Amino acid sequence: MAAAAAAAAEAAAGASPTIVEYFEGEDFYRCGYCKNEAGSRSNGMWAHSMTVQDYQDLIDRGWRRSGKYVYKPVMSQTCCPQYTIRCRPLHFQPSKSHKKVLKKMLKFLSKGEMSKGNSEDEPMDSHIEDAVACDFELKSKLDIHQSDLKSFSVDREEGLENAKEKNKEKCLREEERDKLIQACVEKEKLGSGEPSSSIKVFHASPKPGKGADLSKPPCRKAKDIRKERKRQKLILQNQTDKHICSQIQDEPQPLCLPKAEASRSKTIEDFIFSSLPEDAAHQLEFTRFLCSSPLEAETPSNGPDCGYGSFHQQYWMDGKIIAVGVIDILPYCVSSVYLYYDPDFSFLSLGVYSALREIAFTRQLHEKAPQLCHYYMGFYIHSCPKMRYKGQYRPSDLLCPETYVWVPIEQCLPVLEKSKYSRFNPDPKAVDEGRLKELDRLRVLHKRTIMPYNVYKKRQKDPNSEATIQQYASLVGQVCSERMLLFRS
């Protein structure tokens, strides 16, 4: 590795090229999701350096980084297939549960109100880099240590037990509601609208009468009476609205807004960038700075002001750091890596809040760099219920594991219900357009010299080397195999 690091400095002038060491996934290892002791398998490589464009192309082929280790699950063999998922922020609308988290943050900042319960009561409260949950076989090959942040924890559990209890309570409430509705229905069936206690039911034979009194209007059904009352109420409301409009027609801002405008759903920006009162109970601030990563920082003139690369996003509350998120800003997306947070503030559902904040940030970057328009959330794991929360950030797409095209998640879910490993591309004849076509054009870094593979293989005496290199090139695709440097000792 020392040789590879030294070669990286000499390989090119200016920005360093991507230099990787490939590790073939030989053995199965413990799955971090279903806890299967030998159910997970992946291929990986150690990135000594990597350009943001190369990483963009790699994640669009199912790769993902954890620190400087970049890995790709063997989808057809692993027990819990991990599908790359991306959200489309430009069309994103927060759900009710998302708005609940945003409102909770606003109430805490402006009034100091704390939510009852804890973060586990909130749905979708996991927001981590999935690699952290896995026990990689790489740990037996490389000495990798994660940072020791004692006062922080990773936001990964969704409180399944609490969810079960809540679901049970919900079912009881719904049962009581259904009984109440049924009682009301029975009451309406009896007619007249009188209290049920005043209705008497006679089982005796009716006495012969004189028939209908033609001098009186015919009896009306309760249903018709209710319809008429509703119609009269609407007429009265319409007349009132017209009267108000006629009185204020000279005002600069009319009160009679179009229905679509008046009922416009609030965006995440409406919540996140909402002005706080001067006497706000708390102040939330953000700082962003580059962090250690294999990604080479770039600041092109047509890119975002902050440039491309890996960034720490610090969340400060009243001068105290409460969370740290790591994101990669790439040419076409913001890729969320992981989040650390202070457990004392778990009631704020910082996992969900940070994801929504990153979606809003992606929208901001898009204004300066129009091609940057997606938010990557890591992996979606349908076979693991607690990891399905990412699918609720809509609209979103999943990456087909065979043809590497993006397919709307709504089309993928029915297929995943039938089989945990699935090809999403509906065209059975479609192939991987970025597949390897010419192995000889792959670039190798050997003995501090960059050479094409056809030159390297003449010097290489190991017969097993070609199979490994062939596998690597097939996984990264033709473009990356020609652009990146494969380090061979």
Side-chain angles (χ1 to χ4, degrees):
M1 286 194 181
E10 301 175 5
S16 299
T18 295
I19 301 176
V20 297
E21 267 185 274
Y22 179 67
F23 299 102
E24 184 179 1
E26 302 141 347
D27 302 319
F28 286 86
Y29 54 90
R30 185 174 184 271
C31 176
Y33 303 104
C34 69
K35 310 307 179 185
N36 186 329
E37 291 298 329
S40 194
R41 190 182 185 191
S42 66
N43 297 296
M45 51 192 179
W46 184 259
H48 296 276
S49 65
M50 182 169 285
T51 67
V52 290
Q53 184 61 60
D54 284 339
Y55 186 52
Q56 175 74 70
D57 291 344
L58 286 174
I59 62 175
D60 284 336
R61 293 185 63 84
W63 291 81
R64 189 75 178 163
R65 82 172 183 90
S66 177
K68 291 191 174 184
Y69 181 63
V70 188
Y71 66 101
K72 187 180 190 301
V74 182
M75 299 286 283
S76 60
Q77 298 180 25
T78 189
C79 54
C80 296
Q82 303 161 51
Y83 299 92
T84 303
I85 182 172
R86 72 178 187 185
C87 173
R88 286 174 259 155
L90 304 186
H91 301 94
F92 174 79
Q93 287 294 333
S95 66
K96 289 184 179 179
S97 58
H98 294 152
K99 289 181 180 179
K100 183 178 178 182
V101 171
L102 294 170
K103 290 176 181 177
K104 180 168 56 177
M105 177 65 80
L106 274 178
K107 287 182 180 179
F108 179 71
L109 294 177
S110 59
K111 302 178 181 179
E113 295 182 8
M114 296 178 62
S115 174
K116 296 179 180 179
N118 53 44
S119 63
E120 291 182 342
D121 293 330
E122 293 294 338
M124 303 181 299
D125 205 25
S126 298
H127 184 54
I128 62 169
E129 164 51 38
D130 306 289
V132 177
C134 295
D135 185 13
F136 290 111
E137 64 173 334
L138 182 70
K139 290 181 180 179
S140 63
K141 296 181 178 180
L142 300 173
D143 186 18
I144 299 177
H145 298 284
Q146 298 179 8
S147 299
D148 183 19
L149 300 178
K150 296 182 179 179
S151 62
F152 294 80
S153 65
V154 179
D155 186 14
R156 65 175 66 178
E157 296 297 334
E158 292 193 81
L160 296 178
E161 294 300 324
N162 288 346
K164 290 179 181 178
E165 291 298 324
K166 288 182 67 180
N167 187 52
K168 189 183 296 183
E169 294 175 3
K170 180 181 178 183
C171 291
L172 292 174
R173 290 197 301 270
E174 290 180 349
E175 185 177 348
E176 294 176 357
R177 182 196 63 189
D178 292 341
K179 289 180 180 179
L180 181 60
I181 292 174
Q182 184 62 29
C184 293
V185 170
E186 294 297 329
K187 175 181 173 182
E188 288 185 0
K189 286 182 179 178
L190 293 173
S192 83
E194 292 291 327
S196 58
S197 58
S198 66
I199 297 174
K200 298 180 181 180
V201 180
F202 296 93
H203 298 283
S205 299
K207 295 181 179 180
K210 297 179 181 180
D213 187 350
L214 299 178
S215 64
K216 296 182 179 180
C219 294
R220 300 173 63 190
K221 294 182 179 180
K223 183 178 180 181
D224 295 332
I225 294 175
R226 290 195 300 273
K227 285 184 177 180
E228 179 62 23
R229 287 176 179 171
K230 184 176 181 179
R231 190 177 72 86
Q232 293 294 337
K233 185 177 181 180
L234 289 174
I235 292 174
L236 180 62
Q237 180 64 41
N238 188 43
Q239 291 175 346
T240 303
D241 291 344
K242 288 182 178 179
H243 179 66
I244 293 174
C245 287
S246 64
Q247 288 183 333
I248 62 171
Q249 59 184 353
D250 296 329
E251 293 290 330
Q253 185 176 2
L255 295 181
C256 295
L257 298 174
K259 185 176 181 180
E261 184 179 351
S263 59
R264 181 183 70 86
S265 298
K266 284 190 173 183
T267 65
I268 47 178
E269 287 84 359
D270 293 333
F271 292 99
I272 292 176
F273 304 120
S274 176
S275 298
L276 295 175
E278 294 183 0
D279 59 344
H282 301 283
Q283 292 292 331
L284 182 65
E285 300 174 295
F286 293 85
T287 59
R288 185 178 299 110
F289 56 90
L290 284 166
C291 62
S292 178
S293 158
L295 301 185
E296 297 292 329
E298 298 179 21
T299 54
S301 58
N302 61 343
D305 294 335
C306 59
Y308 300 119
S310 298
F311 294 81
H312 273 144
Q313 289 189 308
Q314 292 186 349
Y315 294 67
W316 291 81
M317 182 78 72
D318 303 331
K320 175 185 177 182
I321 188 168
I322 64 170
V324 178
V326 176
I327 60 172
D328 293 330
I329 301 179
L330 305 175
Y332 309 129
C333 74
V334 169
S335 176
S336 179
V337 183
Y338 57 79
L339 173 83
Y340 291 118
Y341 75 97
D342 187 333
D344 290 343
F345 292 86
S346 60
F347 65 92
L348 290 174
S349 303
L350 292 174
V352 178
Y353 183 80
S354 65
L356 297 173
R357 183 118 197 164
E358 288 168 3
I359 289 175
F361 180 52
T362 305
R363 288 177 171 178
Q364 288 181 317
L365 296 179
H366 171 75
E367 294 178 2
K368 182 64 184 296
Q371 74 280 4
L372 200 164
C373 57
H374 289 102
Y375 175 63
Y376 285 53
M377 297 177 282
F379 288 133
Y380 174 82
I381 307 168
H382 192 76
S383 57
C384 182
K386 70 176 182 179
M387 295 303 295
R388 294 183 184 180
Y389 69 93
K390 296 179 182 180
Q392 299 184 42
Y393 292 80
R394 303 281 181 94
S396 57
D397 309 298
L398 296 184
L399 187 67
C400 176
E402 296 180 6
T403 61
Y404 303 111
V405 296
W406 295 98
V407 181
I409 193 171
E410 293 84 359
Q411 299 178 27
C412 304
L413 295 181
V415 182
L416 289 174
E417 286 294 329
K418 297 178 182 178
S419 174
K420 62 182 181 180
Y421 172 73
S422 302
R423 169 193 168 108
F424 299 139
N425 195 324
D427 183 1
K429 297 181 180 180
V431 296
D432 170 19
E433 296 296 337
R435 66 189 182 281
L436 179 69
K437 300 179 181 70
E438 297 182 55
L439 181 61
D440 285 348
R441 297 180 64 175
L442 177 145
R443 294 208 300 168
V444 178
L445 176 60
H446 179 58
K447 294 184 178 180
R448 302 194 180 201
T449 303
I450 298 174
M451 63 189 73
Y453 177 67
N454 59 353
V455 175
Y456 169 77
K457 67 181 178 182
K458 294 178 182 178
R459 304 180 182 182
Q460 182 57 245
K461 299 179 182 180
D462 183 5
N464 297 323
S465 175
E466 183 169 356
T468 300
I469 294 177
Q470 174 80 39
Q471 184 186 67
Y472 155 80
S474 298
L475 293 173
V476 302
Q478 184 69 41
V479 173
C480 283
S481 70
E482 293 183 34
R483 202 165 51 207
M484 302 192 307
L485 301 180
L486 175 63
F487 174 75
R488 303 294 291 177
S489 59

